[in-house]
Amino acid sequence: MTTTTRNPGTGAPVTAAEILARAKALAPLLRERSQEIEEARQLPPDVVRQLRETGVFRMCFGREWGGPELTSMEQVEVVETLAYGDASAGWCAAIGAMTGAISNFLEPATAKEMFPGLDMITAGLIAPAGRAERVPGGFRLSGRWSFGSGITHADWVTSGAFLYEDGKPYASPDGSNAHASRQFLVPGHQVEVVGNWDTTGLCGSGSSDYTISDVFVPEEHTYTFYKPKGRPSPLAQPDSFMRSLCAVPLGVARAALDHTRETVLGRTDRMTDTAWADMFRVQVTLAECEADFNATRSGVYSSSQRHWEVLASGDTLDDLTPVERAASSLAWVHAFRTSRAIVNRLYDLLQTWSINRSSPMDRWMRDTATMCQHVAASDLILESAGAYLLGRPPKFRMSLGLVK
């Protein structure tokens, strides 16, 4: 596991423009390292260092921390740019940047002690898969969690667990008698990585299972999403962890579109001696894929912009219409699924030029297939949004910024 990394010195980026510029400079290098990243099944240490230096992991820290406090739209653009270089790097960047968001749900003094620098990486699974026994001063945490993207280079690991007291389930304090759960933050070196990440795509994300065995977690290192404890802001919201993840498929789709166009311009049909760029099928397919990309990307940015405007004005998500509130989570799903469809169409368009392992199309097809299995791309999001639009209780409330 990595050790805590403090802020770099005066060269640390402090604005969205600086972070984006560094991401753009790193993307071509990530593309060159894609095969190595995939074969390693995790990000190499020097790649993690380069990502830290872009400032991507400080995106969600507020200005009171000296952070850049990027808007949702700015975060999406940065992650898109990194995913354009390598999908696994973009994925780990989006996951690891949750540190600043988590700081909003801890007591400020505790957060500043735990995160002495803004470029620290947090990974883990928020679903309550573990068991936390209440003891004096905190909890003893044990369990096994799946899909710990970036777990191999995390400074802190956040994990959801159900609460127990004297060996019995602890009821939720909201009066519902539901089994209470919360999030637990554990230093990365106290986590054991299982190393079972051997998948179709996103191979370099290192999303292995991990275990925690009877680790004491102080009460102040636990949190819930019910109420922010820091300064109210658009980043101090339950859905802030999910906003930039859809940027990864968008970045991959953009990369596939550009690669296909460049490939087509250099190809001639050997049977007819016709330039591919002059073929109806090629022109129509590229145009349709560009149209799909532009539409789905616009949906992500416009819905995020509306949410941000409302929250930045001091209002809450409750001040949005149901259609406006559901728009962001629907845009996430659409970005994942449309990007996968674009990559698949382009893969078919290039035919045998796609099928070699040396072709980036092969990796992009596998990466988008794998990322579309994530909960952010699942029918659960659609079901929850649909239920909310119909005035019914959604199953996955966090995707709509709901916690109660």
Side-chain angles (χ1 to χ4, degrees):
M1 308 298 295
T2 59
T3 56
T4 296
T5 298
R6 296 178 180 269
N7 282 342
T10 57
V14 296
T15 67
E18 290 173 323
I19 295 173
L20 181 59
R22 293 191 184 197
K24 288 180 177 179
L26 181 58
L29 303 177
L30 293 174
R31 180 74 60 83
E32 293 175 2
R33 303 281 297 277
S34 284
Q35 184 173 347
E36 176 192 349
I37 291 170
E38 183 169 55
E39 291 174 352
R41 292 192 295 139
Q42 63 185 57
L43 299 186
D46 67 313
V47 171
V48 176
R49 175 183 56 76
Q50 289 173 316
L51 284 172
R52 285 191 201 265
E53 291 172 353
T54 66
V56 65
F57 298 121
R58 60 172 53 202
M59 294 193 301
C60 296
F61 275 104
R63 308 220 181 270
E64 69 274 21
W65 286 74
E69 196 169 325
L70 267 62
T71 67
S72 299
M73 301 73 72
E74 290 167 339
Q75 291 178 47
V76 167
E77 189 173 13
V78 169
V79 175
E80 267 189 296
T81 300
L82 294 169
Y84 185 89
D86 181 78
S88 291
W91 191 267
C92 288
I95 296 292
M98 73 169 76
T99 310
I102 288 172
S103 71
N104 293 300
F105 297 93
L106 298 167
E107 292 293 344
T110 299
K112 291 182 182 297
E113 179 183 337
M114 295 175 69
F115 309 133
L118 303 188
D119 299 298
M120 299 180 69
I121 299 169
T122 302
L125 185 73
I126 62 175
R131 177 188 179 105
E133 182 75 26
R134 184 176 286 279
V135 295
F139 299 84
R140 305 296 304 189
L141 176 66
S142 296
R144 176 167 174 159
W145 292 260
S146 298
F147 307 115
S149 299
I151 198 73
T152 56
H153 57 258
D155 299 305
W156 286 93
V157 175
T158 186
S159 305
F162 286 109
L163 309 187
Y164 291 81
E165 190 168 23
D166 297 326
K168 298 179 182 179
Y170 183 77
S172 175
D174 62 7
S176 66
N177 291 321
H179 195 172
S181 67
R182 65 175 63 180
Q183 296 295 309
F184 296 81
L185 283 160
V186 170
H189 65 82
Q190 292 184 296
V191 172
E192 292 293 329
V193 178
V194 176
N196 60 339
W197 185 246
D198 188 13
T199 56
T200 301
L202 284 183
C203 300
S205 65
S207 305
S208 294
D209 288 10
Y210 64 95
T211 62
I212 297 174
S213 302
D214 196 34
V215 170
F216 174 71
V217 183
E219 177 86 33
E220 60 269 23
H221 288 189
T222 73
Y223 66 98
T224 70
F225 296 104
Y226 292 130
K227 185 179 180 180
K229 296 182 179 179
R231 174 179 63 87
S233 78
L235 294 175
Q237 303 293 325
D239 66 335
S240 59
F241 300 87
M242 302 182 68
R243 294 176 190 169
S244 67
L245 205 55
C246 66
V248 181
L250 290 176
V252 172
R254 182 69 265 165
L257 282 161
D258 290 350
H259 170 78
T260 300
R261 190 171 63 253
E262 292 168 5
T263 301
V264 163
L265 289 171
R267 298 291 179 182
T268 299
D269 186 276
R270 283 179 280 183
M271 299 293 291
T272 65
D273 199 33
T274 302
W276 270 54
D278 294 326
M279 297 173 68
F280 174 84
R281 174 178 66 91
V282 174
Q283 294 170 347
V284 169
T285 300
L286 270 177
E288 288 180 340
C289 288
E290 281 285 352
D292 288 344
F293 176 81
N294 291 336
T296 194
R297 187 174 187 270
S298 294
V300 168
Y301 277 84
S302 62
S303 60
S304 296
Q305 180 73 43
R306 176 58 181 152
H307 282 206
W308 190 272
E309 288 173 350
V310 168
L311 293 170
S313 72
D315 291 335
T316 70
L317 293 178
D318 291 335
D319 294 297
L320 293 167
T321 68
V323 170
E324 289 175 327
R325 187 160 190 168
S328 279
S329 57
L330 293 175
W332 301 339
V333 178
H334 198 247
F336 276 98
R337 295 185 176 186
T338 302
S339 295
R340 180 185 184 184
I342 289 170
V343 170
N344 286 347
R345 287 197 68 186
L346 298 176
Y347 183 99
D348 289 344
L349 177 65
L350 295 183
Q351 299 173 324
T352 54
W353 293 316
S354 296
I355 63 176
N356 291 321
R357 289 282 179 172
S358 60
S359 167
M361 289 302 304
D362 172 77
R363 182 179 301 111
W364 292 328
M365 182 185 69
R366 291 183 287 106
D367 285 342
T368 52
T370 298
M371 68 180 73
C372 277
Q373 310 316 310
H374 190 271
V375 65
S378 71
D379 284 348
L380 177 61
I381 304 294
L382 298 179
E383 180 185 11
S384 298
Y388 179 76
L389 289 169
L390 293 169
R392 302 297 192 269
K395 287 185 178 179
F396 190 18
R397 301 176 65 81
M398 188 177 291
S399 66
L400 293 155
L402 300 164
V403 291
K404 296 182 180 180

